[in-house]
Amino acid sequence: MSDSPPQRPDTPCVAVCSTTFDDVCRGCGRTVNEVAHWVFMTEEEKTKVWERITAEGYPRRQG
């Protein structure tokens, strides 16, 4: 069993941004605060966000 982190993109962003009018982005599922602070978050914080948004069915990729 491996303890390495799961392989995923650097960000959940799918270029379907809606945080201007919504509290939660319809594309990636992150809150406005999470989007704004993503580059400053620790890997642990990002992992918690990834776990929450994937459980909620995000990111929603087009296609």
Side-chain angles (χ1 to χ4, degrees):
M1 185 155 240
S2 175
D3 288 337
S4 62
Q7 295 298 312
R8 54 185 166 223
D10 293 333
T11 176
C13 182
V14 293
V16 183
C17 303
S18 66
T19 54
T20 302
F21 303 107
D22 301 310
D23 291 335
V24 174
C25 179
R26 292 184 217 172
C28 70
R30 292 178 293 169
T31 66
V32 173
N33 191 47
E34 290 167 341
V35 171
H37 293 96
W38 187 258
V39 297
F40 304 108
M41 295 172 87
T42 65
E43 286 305 313
E44 182 179 342
E45 291 169 327
K46 289 179 181 180
T47 296
K48 288 179 183 179
V49 173
W50 271 107
E51 289 172 352
R52 188 194 82 243
I53 65 176
T54 54
E56 294 173 354
Y58 294 96
R60 295 186 177 144
R61 301 190 187 280
Q62 301 279 324

